[in-house]
Amino acid sequence: MSYTKVDYTDTDPVADAMHFLRDPLECEQLGVTVVDCGPGWTGKPHNHADQNHEEVYVLVEGEATVTVDGEDVAMTAGDALRIDPESERQIQNGDGESQFVLVGAP
C-alpha cells in the first residue's frame, strides 16, 4: 500500500500529552508528534543533537511558549518555529489548552 492512515487519538499519550506517530504511520525518514497541552502543561527540556533531527513546531490551537536555548518564544495559533538539532527546547503551555504538531527529520 502506498499510504498509512491513523487517528492520532488512538495512540497512547506520553507525558499525558504527546502522541508519537512515527511508528504507527510507518515513517522511515520523518517523525510526527501531536501534542495536546492542557493548562499549565510543561514538556521536558531536550535536544536532538545525537540524532541530528531538525524540528518544526506548528501551534495549531491556543497560545504557548517554547523556550529555545534559554530564550522564550511566544507562540499563537498559526505560528511555526524551526529549531536546530543541538538547541535545547521546552514547551510551556499557558492557562488554556493548546495543540502543537511537531515534525522532525531526518
Side-chain angles (χ1 to χ4, degrees):
M1 191 179 320
S2 62
Y3 67 90
T4 307
K5 178 183 175 188
V6 299
D7 181 334
Y8 87 90
T9 62
D10 289 340
T11 66
D12 292 328
V14 175
D16 296 323
M18 304 181 80
H19 298 268
F20 294 105
L21 300 178
R22 182 183 184 119
D23 290 339
L25 286 171
E26 302 173 355
C27 294
E28 295 178 15
Q29 302 292 323
L30 178 70
V32 179
T33 304
V34 176
V35 186
D36 289 325
C37 305
W41 185 84
T42 300
K44 179 177 103 172
H46 68 286
N47 67 52
H48 292 286
D50 291 345
Q51 303 88 5
N52 197 33
H53 287 177
E54 175 180 52
E55 280 190 311
V56 173
Y57 285 26
V58 179
L59 186 58
V60 178
E61 181 179 310
E63 297 180 359
T65 300
V66 178
T67 302
V68 181
D69 291 335
E71 182 180 339
D72 289 344
V73 180
M75 296 185 69
T76 58
D79 288 345
L81 176 67
R82 188 197 65 79
I83 305 171
D84 290 335
E86 63 278 355
S87 293
E88 184 175 273
R89 76 276 329 254
Q90 180 181 29
I91 296 173
Q92 297 148 356
N93 197 38
D95 295 333
E97 294 184 357
S98 68
Q99 183 180 61
F100 281 89
V101 174
L102 313 181
V103 181

